[in-house]
Amino acid sequence: MIVMDLDNLYEVMCWEPHRLTINKWHAMGKPYVLASKPGGANGIIEDFAAIIEKHFTIVCNEEFINNNKQFADKIEAVFVWSYLPNTDRDLLQSLPNLKVVVNGGVGVDHLDIPLISSFGVKIANTPNVVDNATADLGMALLLASARRLIEGYKIAMAPSHLPQSFMGCEVSGATLGIVGMGRIGYKIAQRARGFDMKVLYHNRNRRSEEEENTVGAQYCEKIDDLLRESDFVMLAVNLSPQTRKLIGERELSLMKPTGTLVNISRGLVVDQDALVEALQNGVIHAAALDVTYPEPLPRDHPLLKLQNVLILPHIGVNTYETAQNIVERMVTNALAALSGRPVPDEVKP
């Protein structure tokens, strides 16, 4: 039982509202967060559940669906991981005390931000902590595609002789065009410099001269110029109405016939039908994709049948270290929202 005289209570309410909120939590127990089952197919890695459980009581999405009346009034936060739980209108209406939806990762295109905000609920994501892992994977895709690593592995594992015609593309000294020079794009440029690549970039806003010089990057005001000059085109933009199908038939036709398209952003940034045709008809040499639409692709999709395509199952941030950092940052954002403090990574509507 917590005892506090009226004068002290008034002082706390006036001067320490955050402490009052935290004291309320201590009196009532840990706040409740709705999330996919840790360790499940679409859940946070089970090893990191303890990071959440230190501050929250986790209600698994499946448990909530089966018994939402028991938890609806208690849940104050939703943690979205691998696009689940689905924060649609029905869910929002069922959670009267919800204060924040926190997305594990940067991209929030799968969240209806105006809808969530209309319920007075804050939204947060986890930028910065994913930059290195995503940039690393972008370079890994570029290198694996250029040197045909998957094909080489299959030859090495099969009882067949390596054909003399098995040749890859040189990366050192090649031109890399980065579309989207935000945090991740800049990290990619840093890595490309280590391979002595010439770096071009196209962005809504030009970087400072000092930043350009640090990574040896040259700004292309028009994306067409970047596409024409690049041996490798790396897409590192957020998905928005402006970037949806940013790369289509026209843009692919501007690329070199020897060019490779690398996409680590979102599948819908590329017109996938146009990409299939470009790869089939030799308009471009190859593609390396961490993202597609939908994910996963139907097993009969033509992209899966092409030899000049390397596809990964959207694993750009899938490292142990980054996943832990994401979960820790999700907790930080949620605690801030629940205590009435500014949310560090709030996504404004």
Side-chain angles (χ1 to χ4, degrees), residues 205-252:
N205 301 306
R206 183 171 183 173
R207 288 270 187 170
S208 69
E209 185 176 350
E210 180 182 359
E211 290 172 323
E212 290 179 348
N213 291 337
T214 299
V215 294
Q218 178 182 332
Y219 179 63
C220 292
E221 184 175 357
K222 297 180 180 178
I223 191 173
D224 291 9
D225 295 333
L226 179 146
L227 296 171
R228 290 190 184 98
E229 296 182 38
S230 300
D231 299 301
F232 300 91
V233 174
M234 182 92 69
L235 305 179
V237 297
N238 292 324
L239 179 61
S240 68
Q242 291 73 35
T243 62
R244 185 184 177 95
K245 295 191 177 181
L246 176 68
I247 304 298
E249 181 181 2
R250 188 190 75 85
E251 289 74 23
L252 291 165

Side-chain angles (χ1 to χ4, degrees), residues 109-338:
D109 48 275
H110 55 290
L111 299 178
D112 190 336
I113 294 174
L115 174 66
I116 297 170
S117 299
S118 72
F119 281 82
V121 175
K122 293 184 180 295
I123 304 147
N125 60 352
T126 58
N128 302 312
V129 297
V130 306
D131 299 350
N132 283 320
T134 308
D136 285 349
L137 189 80
M139 291 303 296
L141 275 169
L142 187 155
L143 290 163
S145 177
R147 298 306 303 269
R148 301 171 66 184
L149 294 190
I150 302 301
E151 294 173 78
Y153 169 78
K154 290 178 180 178
I155 292 172
M157 295 298 290
S160 59
H161 181 69
L162 178 67
Q164 290 296 315
S165 60
F166 185 84
M167 297 290 168
C169 302
E170 195 83 10
V171 172
S172 297
T175 299
L176 170 62
I178 302 172
V179 181
M181 194 65 139
R183 298 180 314 275
I184 294 171
Y186 197 76
K187 294 277 189 180
I188 293 165
Q190 291 175 331
R191 287 152 175 75
R193 191 169 193 186
F195 285 89
D196 295 323
M197 301 186 82
K198 178 182 178 182
V199 177
L200 309 177
Y201 78 96
H202 173 75
N203 202 44
R204 285 180 301 179
N205 301 306
R206 183 171 183 173
R207 288 270 187 170
S208 69
E209 185 176 350
E210 180 182 359
E211 290 172 323
E212 290 179 348
N213 291 337
T214 299
V215 294
Q218 178 182 332
Y219 179 63
C220 292
E221 184 175 357
K222 297 180 180 178
I223 191 173
D224 291 9
D225 295 333
L226 179 146
L227 296 171
R228 290 190 184 98
E229 296 182 38
S230 300
D231 299 301
F232 300 91
V233 174
M234 182 92 69
L235 305 179
V237 297
N238 292 324
L239 179 61
S240 68
Q242 291 73 35
T243 62
R244 185 184 177 95
K245 295 191 177 181
L246 176 68
I247 304 298
E249 181 181 2
R250 188 190 75 85
E251 289 74 23
L252 291 165
S253 71
L254 294 175
M255 289 179 60
K256 296 179 180 180
T258 55
T260 296
L261 180 72
V262 183
N263 189 7
I264 57 169
S265 55
R266 285 291 188 267
L268 280 166
V269 172
V270 178
D271 183 334
Q272 218 158 247
D273 294 335
L275 178 60
V276 169
E277 289 189 16
L279 291 164
Q280 288 175 334
N281 299 326
V283 176
I284 65 172
H285 173 65
L289 314 170
D290 185 40
V291 289
T292 59
Y293 66 92
E295 292 175 352
L297 288 172
R299 297 299 87 184
D300 60 349
H301 196 280
L303 271 179
L304 299 178
K305 297 176 172 61
L306 296 173
Q307 294 298 312
N308 53 345
V309 179
L310 171 58
I311 300 178
L312 296 179
H314 201 158
I315 58 172
V317 300
N318 286 29
T319 69
Y320 194 90
E321 296 83 358
T322 294
Q324 180 174 341
N325 290 336
I326 288 174
V327 174
E328 290 173 347
R329 194 66 179 177
M330 292 174 78
V331 169
T332 297
N333 279 295
L335 290 176
L338 269 58

